[in-house]
Amino acid sequence: MDTKLKKAENISVCEHPIALQNLAIMRDKNTTPELFRNATKRLAEVLFFSATDNLPTVLKPVETPLASTMSKVIDPDSTIIIAPILRAGLVFSQVASELLPDAVVQHIGLYRDHQTLQPVWYYNKLPKEFKNPQNTYVYILDPMLATGGSAIEAIKLYTSKNIPHENIRFICLLSSPEGITHVQNHFPEIQLVTAWIDEKLNNQGYIMPGLGDAGDRTFNTVYEV
Ligand code: PRP
Ligand code: URA
């Protein structure tokens, strides 16, 4: 783990034992796709909990069986967007929508070209504008932050719709120092949340030691030709 980055502003490294236990399962090359998805879910849950601590709350009157009280709830005037980057972000978004069932889910179709390592768009159905950008909270989900190209494309999508930078969070299970620096150079005010920062990228743009190709391991397409 890069300790200098870990202490940088606008990055939160979860390091919770349940997160790390599941990250170890995901790293293991002998983990089956089923167990890989299960570990992703558990890790995603821990991470998503800590990443959503910026949601605004308001007081709401509640009648308990014994008395009247005021209880804190998520501000009903806020719009919450869960934005998984396809494909690997899908399992992550299932977990997120179970925790926030009223959130809007906006899929972001990006893949990384294997030769150039540049992100390529293939799906974007975002509305032209958001009704109340100041009250909109966006959680972009992707298991992997490698070169940072996909993250930057996805973040741009929301900053271009006037959503305040402090309302956008990028959440990933595993990240590289190079990817974090790349995203922070473009968007210093966007909060990054990750479970762990690995050592480096290899010359094919894979996180080392990493866990391999997250999408392929999730969907059992490792041997696709
Ligand atoms: C992976 C991963 C990220 C991206 C990260 O997706 O899920 O979206 O690579 O790399 P970057 O930081 O260098 O942009 P991939 O392109 O393999 O697509 P997939 O999820 O469809 O397999
Ligand atoms: N995408 C992945 O799935 N894994 C990596 O290590 C880098 C990009």
Side-chain angles (χ1 to χ4, degrees), residues 141-223:
L141 311 179
D142 194 327
M144 311 299 273
L145 173 63
T147 65
S150 306
I152 289 169
E153 278 298 301
I155 294 168
K156 265 191 215 157
L157 197 60
Y158 289 99
T159 54
S160 71
K161 309 273 183 197
N162 299 324
I163 296 178
H165 289 209
E166 62 271 21
N167 289 12
I168 302 172
R169 292 191 165 186
F170 182 86
I171 315 173
C172 59
L173 310 185
L174 190 57
S175 49
S176 74
E178 295 90 332
I180 292 171
T181 303
H182 194 192
V183 174
Q184 289 190 327
N185 285 342
H186 278 75
F187 295 110
E189 288 154 24
I190 302 277
Q191 180 83 27
L192 301 179
V193 183
T194 187
W196 192 259
I197 306 169
D198 258 357
E199 284 164 28
K200 58 176 182 183
L201 294 179
N202 69 11
N203 55 13
Q204 274 111 41
Y206 277 88
I207 299 175
M208 296 296 285
L211 51 77
D213 189 305
D216 282 343
R217 295 195 64 193
T218 301
F219 297 108
N220 199 13
T221 52
V222 176
Y223 302 113

Side-chain angles (χ1 to χ4, degrees), residues 1-9 11 180-181 184 197:
M1 165 126 27
D2 188 322
T3 47
K4 203 168 94 221
L5 276 177
K6 198 188 143 194
K7 290 195 187 111
E9 253 179 78
I11 176 138
I180 292 171
T181 303
Q184 289 190 327
I197 306 169

Side-chain angles (χ1 to χ4, degrees), residues 64-140:
T64 81
L66 303 174
S68 302
T69 188
M70 297 297 281
S71 228
K72 276 191 180 180
V73 294
I74 296 171
D75 185 350
D77 290 335
S78 55
T79 300
I80 304 171
I81 295 174
I82 293 168
I85 301 184
L86 300 173
R87 294 171 294 173
L90 281 173
V91 174
F92 207 157
S93 72
Q94 281 167 17
V95 172
S97 6
E98 273 170 31
L99 291 169
L100 290 172
D102 295 328
V104 176
V105 181
Q106 292 176 342
H107 296 92
I108 298 178
L110 281 173
Y111 73 87
R112 190 172 77 150
D113 182 278
H114 282 287
Q115 252 77 49
T116 64
L117 300 185
Q118 293 306 306
V120 181
W121 278 102
Y122 62 92
Y123 185 83
N124 169 7
K125 291 273 184 191
L126 253 64
K128 281 213 172 61
E129 54 188 48
F130 287 86
K131 277 203 193 111
N132 197 351
Q134 295 298 323
N135 275 1
T136 299
Y137 293 81
V138 180
Y139 301 97
I140 302 170

